[in-house]
Amino acid sequence: MKLDVIKLDGAKGGSIELSDAIFGIEDIRGDILQRMVTWQLAKRRSGNHKIQVRNEVSRTGKKMYKQKGSGGARHGSRRAAQFVGGAKAHGPVVRSHAFDLPKKFRALALRHALSSKAKSGALVIVDTVAITDPKTSALRAQLGKMGWTNVLVIAGSEVDTNFAMASRNIPNVDVLPNAGLNVYDVLRRQTLVLTKDAVDAINARFAEKEAA
């Protein structure tokens, strides 16, 4: 697959050959993408919501009333769940919501995410995203001219400092280095912009996985 390379000002910058194994999958599997996004979001959950169990409730441990003769149930503590101010039964406790997903499956999901952008025409390859002045208004205007109103930019091994500063206050514009490329962020933005450096890193990333 061959795509044109453009510059940040819209000028032509040549062309680049993309791997069909990474960017050219025709049958996009929505179930694979859904499982991958669920895996990512589950890892992000804090899991720190919690209730107090009986041994954590600060109430007296004295027996409420004598064992027999009251005509009622034989209770032993006001910390029980059925009493006001007592513990909660079967509530949430601190835990991790993460679950396992094989590395090969995660790599396959990224292939499908990249291919989905290429198939829909929402993949753009740029020469570089380095700018001279960190001015948000100028960058917003430039991105508007390019039609990038909802975009994820994979900027290379390191994000240009000026570009990062200028873009951080623009809504719906995410800028990540090569190491930050992930399925969730690819799918949540309408347009995916990759630098030539990012494309090389993606090819190297999958080459390493296949060698392993």
Side-chain angles (χ1 to χ4, degrees):
M1 176 190 299
K2 181 176 287 188
L3 280 184
D4 292 332
V5 178
I6 63 174
K7 297 182 180 180
L8 200 56
D9 59 1
K12 293 183 178 180
S15 61
I16 190 171
E17 190 71 29
L18 300 179
S19 172
D20 288 336
I22 302 174
F23 297 92
I25 299 175
E26 290 294 331
D27 184 18
I28 306 299
R29 292 275 302 275
D31 60 321
I32 292 177
L33 298 176
Q34 187 273 338
R35 284 183 63 189
M36 184 64 186
V37 170
T38 302
W39 178 80
Q40 283 189 242
L41 296 183
K43 287 182 64 178
R44 295 185 183 186
R45 295 182 65 178
S46 63
N48 61 357
H49 47 303
K50 184 184 182 302
I51 51 84
Q52 287 185 321
V53 294
R54 285 185 64 160
N55 66 338
E56 295 172 330
V57 175
S58 180
R59 299 201 75 179
T60 179
K62 181 181 179 181
K63 188 170 176 63
M64 298 171 61
Y65 45 75
K66 62 183 181 179
Q67 179 77 352
K68 295 183 178 181
S70 68
R74 294 168 290 183
H75 295 297
S77 173
R78 290 191 180 274
R79 297 173 183 171
Q82 62 265 42
F83 298 117
V84 174
K88 301 299 180 184
H90 311 297
V93 294
V94 175
R95 69 184 181 93
S96 171
H97 293 274
F99 57 90
D100 292 332
L101 205 59
K103 288 183 179 180
K104 289 185 177 180
F105 186 93
R106 303 196 309 254
L108 179 62
L110 183 56
R111 283 192 176 102
H112 278 259
L114 295 172
S115 295
S116 68
K117 291 300 182 183
K119 185 177 182 180
S120 63
L123 175 63
V124 180
I125 310 298
V126 298
D127 186 18
T128 181
V129 291
I131 58 176
T132 56
D133 296 318
K135 294 184 178 180
T136 299
S137 58
L139 182 60
R140 183 190 291 113
Q142 185 62 47
L143 296 181
K145 290 180 181 179
M146 304 290 286
W148 300 347
T149 56
N150 191 302
V151 60
L152 169 65
V153 179
I154 305 299
S157 57
E158 293 184 358
V159 180
D160 177 68
T161 303
N162 289 339
F163 190 87
M165 292 178 64
S167 63
R168 62 188 179 185
N169 286 330
I170 304 177
N172 301 321
V173 174
D174 296 331
V175 183
L176 297 173
N178 296 338
L181 178 64
N182 66 89
V183 172
Y184 176 68
D185 284 323
V186 169
L187 296 179
R188 70 192 290 262
R189 295 302 178 202
Q190 294 178 358
T191 306
L192 173 62
V193 176
L194 301 177
T195 62
K196 294 171 67 175
D197 183 21
V199 173
D200 293 337
I202 291 171
N203 291 331
R205 178 174 175 176
F206 283 104
E208 291 176 2
K209 293 181 183 297
E210 291 174 358

